[in-house]
């Protein structure tokens, strides 16, 4: 492989980008006036929701140097109330790393990849639409997001072995699930919560969201397949070509060797797949979240280690080494959450929302819904949680739609699509930054890769929203 010239100016790491954003938000708390909405408990949502028209200025609490330094810690847990922030997601990532480490130690993953690539030779490209369909279904039905972090270590070696690059693997997972969330049809953590907060049923506007989901998924799959075909035909076209050798060494390890595929390894892969099936069942129907998923993967690691006869010493060593490899990812997740911590502590979140409420009050119908979309885009950068943004913004912006003559369910759709779009790239999202870190794809390379797709999807969404207003927002 010819040497690749290194750029003179190196783009900052994810850690530097996120810490810089913490500093920026802290500076904004000295500039933007502090204020808050009155909040009332909502039995349906299980959270306090803001009351439209109740915004009032409050005493400023600008965030200083110590608050900036404390933010990464507070991103993991609230140091005053001792309640969890991102610590549950970070711990889940570490346990996933340990689980993958144990499975890798059995040799089953290497042997399985080699066998799969042998059988799929010449048809590898069809893995992309198939896998993206599965992830998109998870995204559109139950908001599959943090759960996808478990798949990067599995899928990246498969894609590299198939002749693609790590960026293709990241795109299949992040864009697959992300476009599903963007087109949330019955997503309980997005459209259902937003609809409740807006005072409508989630079935209203459903057909419009189904159409958006179908079109955006097809465009996204075509985009990823086009890039994948280009990389396979000429690896130097890869946006991470300079990392090709190191990524192959990291993800494939010993898979280049002639690896036998024993019956015991097949059993390990069955247990491996069954673990993910149980996780999906638990999240979608059993009410599971991070603690239950972490316990599942811990138990699965122990079972697989015993079945594969690794022995106590090798089992523990494999688990710890696997967790160690994802330590950086766990730290990035806490750092990303620290941005929201500083913003809330400085009492500027509601001020930004109030400015949005005032700005759309007297707009014509089409302009109103498009401005609502861009307001939600802006808010999503600071509030990456779809459920959190729904509870924050819908009680304020949905009633304003009544004065503009726009149906509230269309405001819900604008929220869902905007939030889903931003969560494909926002550095404040643990899913984005964590997935890129696991896939070893630098953040700026991801932006270079995805920006043409974002432009096309944005045009599709704006056209769909404008058309829906013109046709009366079909239910």
């Amino acid at each position: 492989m010819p040497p690749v010239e290194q750029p003179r100016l190196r783009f900052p790491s994810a850690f530097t980008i996120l810490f810089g954003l913490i500093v920026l938000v802290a500076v904004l708390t000295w500039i933007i006036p502090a204020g808050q909405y009155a909040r009332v408990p909502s039995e349906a949502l299980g959270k306090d929701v803001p009351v439209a028209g109740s915004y009032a200025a409050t005493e400023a609490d600008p965030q200083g140097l110590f608050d900036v330094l404390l933010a990464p810690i507070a991103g993991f847990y609230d140091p005053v109330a001792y309640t969890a922030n991102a610590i549950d997601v970070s711990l889940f990532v570490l346990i996933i790393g340990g689980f993958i480490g144990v499975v890798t130690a059995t040799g089953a993953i290497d042997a399985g990849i080699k066998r799969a690539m042998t059988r799929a030779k010449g048809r590898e490209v069809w893995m992309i639409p198939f896998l993206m369909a599965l992830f998109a279904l998870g995204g559109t039905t139950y908001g599959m997001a943090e759960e996808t972090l478990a798949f990067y270590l599995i899928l990246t070696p498969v894609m590299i072995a198939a002749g693609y690059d790590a960026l293709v693997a990241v795109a299949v997972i992040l864009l697959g699930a992300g476009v599903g969330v963007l087109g949330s049809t019955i997503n309980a953590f997005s459209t259902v919560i937003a609809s409740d907060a807006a005072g409508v049923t989630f079935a209203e506007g459903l057909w419009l969201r189904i159409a958006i989901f179908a079109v955006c998924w097809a465009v996204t799959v075509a985009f990823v397949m086009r890039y994948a075909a280009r990389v396979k035909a000429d690896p130097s076209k890869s946006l991470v070509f300079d990392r090709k050798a190191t990524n192959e060494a990291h993800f494939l390890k010993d898979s280049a060797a002639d690896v036998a595929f024993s019956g015991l390894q097949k059993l390990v892969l069955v247990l491996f797949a069954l673990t993910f099936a149980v996780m999906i069942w638990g999240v979608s129907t059993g009410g599971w979240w991070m603690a239950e998923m972490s316990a599942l993967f811990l138990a699965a690691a122990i079972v697989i280690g015993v079945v594969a006869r690794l022995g106590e010493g090798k089992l523990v060593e494999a688990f710890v080494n696997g967790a160690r490899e994802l330590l950086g990812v766990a730290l990035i997740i806490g750092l990303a959450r620290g941005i929201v911590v500083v913003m809330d502590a400085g009492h500027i979140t509601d001020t930004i929302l109030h400015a949005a409420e005032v700005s759309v009050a007297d707009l014509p119908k089409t302009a109103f819904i498009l401005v609502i979309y861009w307001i939600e885009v802006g808010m999503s950068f600071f509030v990456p949680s779809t459920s959190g943004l729904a509870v924050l913004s819908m009680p304020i912006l949905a009633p304003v739609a009544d004065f503009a003559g726009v149906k509230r369910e269309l405001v819900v759709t604008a929220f869902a699509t905007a939030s889903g779009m931003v969560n494909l790239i926002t550095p404040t999202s643990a899913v984005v930054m964590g997935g890129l870190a696991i896939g070893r794809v630098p953040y700026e390379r991801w932006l270079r890769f995805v920006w043409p797709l974002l432009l096309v999807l944005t045009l599709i969404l704006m056209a769909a929203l404008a058309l829906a207003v013109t046709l009366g927002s079909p239910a």
Side-chain angles (χ1 to χ4, degrees), residues 31-51:
I31 300 172
I32 298 175
Q36 284 185 306
Y37 284 97
R39 282 169 164 76
V40 295
S42 170
E43 193 172 313
L45 300 177
K47 298 180 180 180
D48 292 343
V49 298
V51 178

Side-chain angles (χ1 to χ4, degrees), residues 353-366:
L353 181 60
H354 175 65
E357 178 188 12
V358 172
S359 67
V360 298
D362 300 316
L363 292 176
K365 291 182 180 181
T366 301

Side-chain angles (χ1 to χ4, degrees), residues 59-430:
E59 184 178 352
D61 187 11
Q63 302 294 284
L65 176 61
F66 182 73
D67 298 301
V68 168
L69 295 175
L70 187 62
I73 311 302
F76 287 106
Y77 75 99
D78 186 330
V80 176
Y82 282 88
T83 54
N85 282 330
I87 188 66
D88 54 349
V89 182
S90 298
L91 183 59
F92 172 64
V93 166
L94 292 177
I95 291 178
I96 282 290
F99 168 75
I100 298 296
V102 171
V103 178
T104 301
T106 68
I109 290 181
D110 289 340
I113 290 173
K114 192 174 182 69
R115 176 64 61 87
M117 290 304 98
T118 300
R119 294 190 171 183
K121 194 168 183 63
R123 303 187 301 274
E124 299 93 344
V125 70
W126 296 111
M127 291 190 297
I128 295 173
F130 174 73
L131 291 170
M132 291 186 73
L134 294 180
F135 286 121
L137 286 173
T140 195
T141 53
Y142 70 91
M144 189 178 194
E146 285 86 351
E147 307 93 304
T148 61
L149 295 174
F151 292 91
Y152 286 92
L153 284 176
I154 306 159
L155 192 55
T156 307
V158 173
M159 289 299 174
I160 291 177
Y164 304 121
D165 62 10
L167 185 53
V168 171
V170 170
V172 166
I173 301 171
L174 185 51
L175 293 181
V179 79
V181 175
L182 180 151
S184 291
T185 52
I186 56 173
N187 178 1
F189 300 101
S190 178
T191 51
V192 173
I193 288 180
S195 296
D196 284 343
V200 296
T201 69
F202 73 89
E204 296 175 78
L206 179 60
W207 288 110
L208 173 62
R209 293 193 294 272
I210 290 175
I212 288 173
F213 169 65
V215 173
C216 290
W217 179 85
V219 169
T220 303
V221 169
F223 178 81
V224 176
M225 291 180 72
R226 180 173 177 269
Y227 172 81
R230 190 165 70 243
V231 168
K232 188 157 188 175
D234 183 0
S236 67
K237 300 293 185 183
S238 167
L239 292 179
V240 289
F241 180 64
D242 58 320
R243 294 170 169 250
K244 185 175 188 295
T246 56
N247 280 347
E248 288 177 352
H250 177 78
F251 287 110
L252 299 184
K253 294 189 171 85
D254 299 326
S255 62
D258 187 14
V259 182
F261 196 25
S262 67
L264 181 59
Q265 289 171 332
K266 292 178 183 178
L267 176 59
V268 167
L269 289 185
V270 169
L271 294 173
F272 181 78
L274 183 62
T275 302
F276 285 90
V278 172
M279 178 193 75
I280 293 171
W281 168 85
V283 173
S284 59
T285 64
W288 288 13
W289 198 226
M290 290 299 156
E292 292 83 1
M293 289 193 295
S294 298
L296 169 67
F297 281 101
L298 177 60
I302 296 171
V303 170
I304 288 174
V306 171
V307 169
R309 298 190 290 274
L310 291 181
E312 184 270 342
K314 190 173 181 180
L315 170 59
V316 172
E317 181 183 9
F319 189 92
V320 171
N321 287 339
R324 183 184 294 121
E325 289 199 8
L326 294 190
L327 179 59
V329 178
L331 294 175
I332 282 175
I333 290 170
L335 193 58
R337 188 67 65 87
I339 298 169
V340 180
V341 169
V342 171
M343 191 172 171
D344 289 343
H347 304 307
I348 63 173
T349 306
D350 285 8
T351 301
I352 295 172
L353 181 60
H354 175 65
E357 178 188 12
V358 172
S359 67
V360 298
D362 300 316
L363 292 176
K365 291 182 180 181
T366 301
F368 172 85
I369 197 61
L370 295 181
V371 171
I372 287 288
Y373 172 82
W374 285 107
I375 286 172
E376 295 289 3
V377 165
M379 292 291 295
S380 294
F381 276 101
F382 298 101
V383 187
S385 165
T386 52
S387 59
L389 182 59
V391 172
L392 176 67
S393 65
M394 285 299 97
I396 303 301
L397 298 181
V400 181
D402 298 338
F403 297 101
V406 175
K407 292 185 178 180
R408 292 190 179 194
E409 62 264 26
L410 192 54
V411 176
V412 172
T413 300
F415 148 78
T417 53
S419 176
M421 177 72 75
V422 172
N423 281 333
L424 299 177
I425 59 168
T426 177
T428 60
S429 168

